[in-house]
Amino acid sequence: MALDHKKTDPKGVWKQGKGKGRVTTKGRQLDDLAWDQLRALLGDRPRRADLLIEYLHLVQDEYGHLSAAHLRALAEELRLSMAEVYEVATFYAHFDVVKEGETPPPALTIRVCDSLSCELAGAQALKAALEEGLDPGEVRVLRAPCMGRCDSAPTLELGHNHIDFATPEKVRAAIAAGDTHHKMPDYQTFEQYRGEGGYSRLRELRENGDWEAEWDRILGAGLRGLGGAGFPAGKKLRFVRAEPGPRYLAVNGDEGEPGTFKDRFHLERTPHLFLEGMLFAAWAVEAQTCFIYMRDEYPAVLEILRREIKALEEAGLVEAGFIDLRRGAGAYICGEESAMIESIEGKRGLPRHRPPFVAQVGIFNRPTLVHNVETLHWIARILREGPEILSSVEHNGRIGLRSYSVSGRVKTPGVYELPAGSTITEIIAAAGGMAQGHVFKAYQPGGPSSGLLPASMNDIPLDFDTLQPHGTFIGSAAVVVLSDQDRARDAALNMLRFFEDESCGQCTPCRVGCEKAVKLMQADTWDQPLLEELCQAMSDASICGLGQAAPNPIRLTMKHFPNEL
């Protein structure tokens, strides 16, 4: 119970010098009811500061918002300052903080994706129609960044129910039916995977395997990190293994780069290929714990992982708690590995200065191996099927396979596993060609960070190192195709608005630079010298890759589409 100082000492117990003493400490007072509610909600869960974001989710899910009283109670329960709890709660887009006297949000929230693929498919008109046709007192309509469903644009999230190829009629029908929960896809369960020989290779290696020999196979396959940076997967593990223990493994499942949905594609079909790949890596690096950081926009994937991690524990393949599933909260910046680690530790997702690198000082200041979902998917396939699965595939002078997320003005958007040296012409062909009535004009080769290239540059292999001479990169292989019905300058503005929204705000060049760029890009005629000066400042002085790569859409649009400016 909170101490009632009015009863114990009506004159006040906190006093300095002359004057009337205070009957309470400064700041928000602990509310007994909110405290009781919070303790009932947490139950016997451990009271650790790194679980702050998980507990904020519990409160948000239960009450539909985060009241000041509940935040104060959470600070008390976790022995944190109110400032620490508040700064974390207000950093993430999926938390609704409500102060005293403020009206909580409506019980139902619609988040309309307005990233490039959805905007091409009419997201702005969809959002306007919903705002006009629904009662704002009962349903709020928000714009939201990419939800990883670009193959079914436009998309929105009604509660936790994703409505693909969304229309106002579909939304009204779902509201009337109370259809606000996520839908589970048909995926390969633990028993099905084990029936096909799954985890037998892991058992062999745990009994008498040589981690160095196995990782030589990874190096021989030529596998590179598929989250965007492309660092050789085998070398990264050796760096971490060389550091003294204890060590951790962290999976970056925060697939927030607009246009990217390959990780969701694999996890909603074959989650155990990823999980076995993760356990291979954990075995090799002797990880004490595996943290999986999964974006909140993937509720079905989160449920799949909860179920299948429990199945692994019940089968004795891992001890309870060895795999720690963490839920993101709507922050693109947490796709940057050090920002993700900060979030796993229960903090704001602010990128760290480097050095030291996370392989040396990662989660809880311990050496940490960070891998992307698709990278671990391929590690499992290499160690089960042999390095030849990648090394035997050669195309346009490039080795291996990769998953391309393809959307925009193509007939059949989706994830396509193609040779790593595929050109945009071949990728469009794999997606069924251009959509009817559209002529190929431009393409985004690897998410908004990669900018735009014209259709005339259609013979470049879309792989690591091949695009840098052209001022861009493959990134997450998120390919968005534009047609003669689209303007490159509008696409570039969409990308910079995304960066403006998602900048963590830590460094001035990125925080202010993105905002100023958006304003300059809305002019009828771009001030190109001023924009170039701004781009140079952002790329030179930003702390992390967000601010450093944000100028790419501007520069490439000025270079390849000057007639639009």
Side-chain angles (χ1 to χ4, degrees):
M1 296 289 290
L3 185 61
D4 189 345
H5 294 293
K6 291 182 180 179
K7 293 180 180 178
T8 58
D9 186 353
K11 295 181 180 180
V13 293
W14 284 280
K15 181 176 179 180
Q16 291 182 347
K18 296 181 180 180
K20 185 178 179 181
R22 296 179 59 85
V23 297
T24 63
T25 56
K26 291 182 178 180
R28 284 188 171 88
Q29 301 308 301
L30 186 60
D31 179 83
D32 286 338
L33 176 60
W35 197 13
D36 288 342
Q37 290 172 337
L38 180 76
R39 285 187 290 191
L41 198 57
L42 297 188
D44 59 357
R45 293 179 175 88
R47 271 48 168 181
R48 301 199 320 256
D50 65 287
L51 295 171
L52 172 58
I53 294 172
E54 297 299 307
Y55 296 162
L56 289 170
H57 274 303
L58 285 177
V59 179
Q60 175 80 31
D61 291 345
E62 179 71 17
Y63 296 102
H65 63 279
L66 303 175
S67 69
H70 283 132
L71 292 180
R72 175 66 182 86
L74 191 54
E76 183 76 17
E77 200 68 12
L78 297 183
R79 296 293 186 263
L80 295 171
S81 70
M82 185 65 193
E84 289 176 279
V85 175
Y86 181 78
E87 72 178 11
V88 171
T90 54
F91 182 85
Y92 295 94
H94 290 186
F95 295 138
D96 296 306
V97 176
V98 177
K99 298 180 183 178
E100 295 91 342
E102 293 182 345
T103 303
L108 193 55
T109 296
I110 297 175
R111 301 180 190 273
V112 182
C113 175
D114 68 352
S115 290
L116 185 55
S117 297
C118 284
E119 184 159 297
L120 295 176
Q124 297 300 338
L126 173 63
K127 179 173 179 288
L130 292 172
E131 289 173 331
E132 183 179 341
L134 296 173
D135 181 356
E138 296 181 1
V139 182
R140 64 172 173 167
V141 181
L142 305 175
R143 56 186 288 264
C146 186
M147 298 176 183
R149 308 184 78 85
C150 318
D151 52 339
S152 54
T155 193
L156 58 79
E157 190 176 24
L158 175 65
H160 288 298
N161 175 24
H162 284 102
I163 299 179
D164 298 329
F165 306 109
T167 64
E169 293 74 23
K170 285 185 178 181
V171 174
R172 283 193 287 269
I175 293 173
D179 189 5
T180 61
H181 300 289
H182 66 267
K183 295 178 175 59
M184 295 296 291
D186 184 16
Y187 67 93
Q188 186 181 43
T189 65
F190 170 71
E191 292 299 335
Q192 292 168 338
Y193 183 73
R194 188 167 61 173
E196 296 179 359
Y199 296 106
S200 59
R201 179 71 175 140
L202 177 67
R203 292 182 186 276
E204 292 174 11
L205 293 180
R206 283 177 169 177
E207 290 174 5
N208 54 15
D210 179 352
W211 75 268
E212 291 187 286
E214 295 305 318
W215 247 252
D216 283 340
R217 300 175 78 203
I218 300 294
L219 285 168
L223 179 65
R224 296 172 66 169
L226 295 168
F231 193 83
K235 288 184 178 180
K236 183 186 286 191
L237 181 137
R238 289 180 185 275
F239 289 153
V240 176
R241 180 67 188 246
E243 298 290 326
R247 310 177 194 92
Y248 294 110
L249 184 147
V251 178
N252 191 339
D254 198 62
E255 187 178 48
E257 189 78 11
T260 313
F261 48 99
K262 58 185 177 62
D263 291 352
R264 177 181 67 82
F265 176 88
H266 291 302
L267 290 170
E268 289 185 347
R269 289 162 177 79
T270 55
H272 283 281
L273 264 178
F274 149 69
L275 288 169
E276 187 170 17
M278 179 189 72
L279 294 177
F280 279 136
W283 162 77
V285 82
E286 294 183 340
Q288 181 172 296
T289 304
C290 294
F291 293 90
I292 302 176
Y293 189 88
M294 187 56 56
R295 66 187 311 220
D296 196 31
E297 290 85 349
Y298 290 174
V301 170
L302 282 161
E303 181 59 28
I304 289 170
L305 291 175
R306 290 187 195 102
R307 293 180 183 182
E308 300 312 307
I309 289 169
K310 183 179 180 181
L312 289 174
E313 292 172 349
E314 291 174 349
L317 279 166
V318 297
E319 294 182 1
F322 178 72
I323 302 175
D324 191 339
L325 178 62
R326 296 298 180 91
R327 178 180 168 190
Y332 164 75
I333 192 62
C334 291
E336 197 276 339
E337 62 178 6
S338 66
M340 176 193 69
I341 286 173
E342 288 288 298
S343 191
I344 287 172
E345 293 180 356
K347 305 170 188 174
R348 292 175 295 166
L350 300 180
R352 297 176 178 177
H353 291 271
R354 288 173 285 189
F357 296 93
V358 299
Q360 302 163 303
V361 181
I363 297 174
F364 307 133
N365 295 322
R366 300 307 311 163
T368 302
L369 176 65
V370 179
H371 270 314
N372 163 264
V373 169
E374 190 191 359
T375 309
L376 295 168
H377 173 96
W378 283 109
I379 284 175
R381 293 190 63 180
I382 291 167
L383 296 187
R384 290 185 61 186
E385 303 172 42
E388 300 79 14
I389 192 171
L390 293 182
S391 61
S392 64
V393 180
E394 183 175 356
H395 184 63
N396 290 333
R398 311 300 298 175
I399 303 295
L401 295 165
R402 70 177 307 154
S403 301
Y404 293 92
S405 305
V406 188
S407 61
R409 307 298 194 182
V410 293
K411 282 184 181 177
T412 316
V415 173
Y416 294 92
E417 186 179 289
L418 300 170
S422 298
T423 65
I424 187 62
T425 302
E426 294 165 328
I427 291 170
I428 291 173
M434 294 295 295
Q436 187 173 359
H438 292 267
V439 177
F440 180 34
K441 173 182 178 176
Y443 65 103
Q444 169 188 285
S449 302
S450 67
L452 287 171
L453 294 178
S456 58
M457 299 176 67
N458 59 2
D459 58 351
I460 305 168
L462 299 192
D463 195 15
F464 297 117
D465 309 323
T466 59
L467 291 165
Q468 277 81 345
H470 305 283
T472 183
F473 50 85
I474 186 61
S476 59
V479 178
V480 180
V481 179
L482 275 62
S483 78
D484 57 338
Q485 299 183 24
D486 307 310
R487 294 202 306 173
R489 61 174 290 160
D490 293 340
L493 178 59
N494 177 281
M495 298 174 193
L496 263 294
R497 280 185 171 140
F498 168 77
F499 291 131
E500 179 188 22
D501 290 340
E502 296 299 328
S503 172
C504 74
Q506 179 178 190
C507 67
T508 303
C510 176
R511 181 185 69 248
V512 178
C514 289
E515 177 198 354
K516 299 302 182 187
V518 167
K519 290 179 179 177
L520 290 169
M521 293 167 73
Q522 292 180 76
D524 292 336
T525 302
W526 284 13
D527 187 339
Q528 297 188 47
L530 183 56
L531 276 167
E532 175 53 38
E533 187 178 344
L534 181 62
C535 289
Q536 193 65 47
M538 293 172 66
S539 57
D540 285 348
S542 295
I543 290 173
C544 80
L546 191 158
Q548 294 163 10
N552 287 341
I554 304 171
R555 283 174 159 163
L556 290 173
T557 300
M558 291 192 298
K559 179 178 180 180
H560 297 297
F561 306 95
N563 59 313
E564 294 190 13
L565 309 180

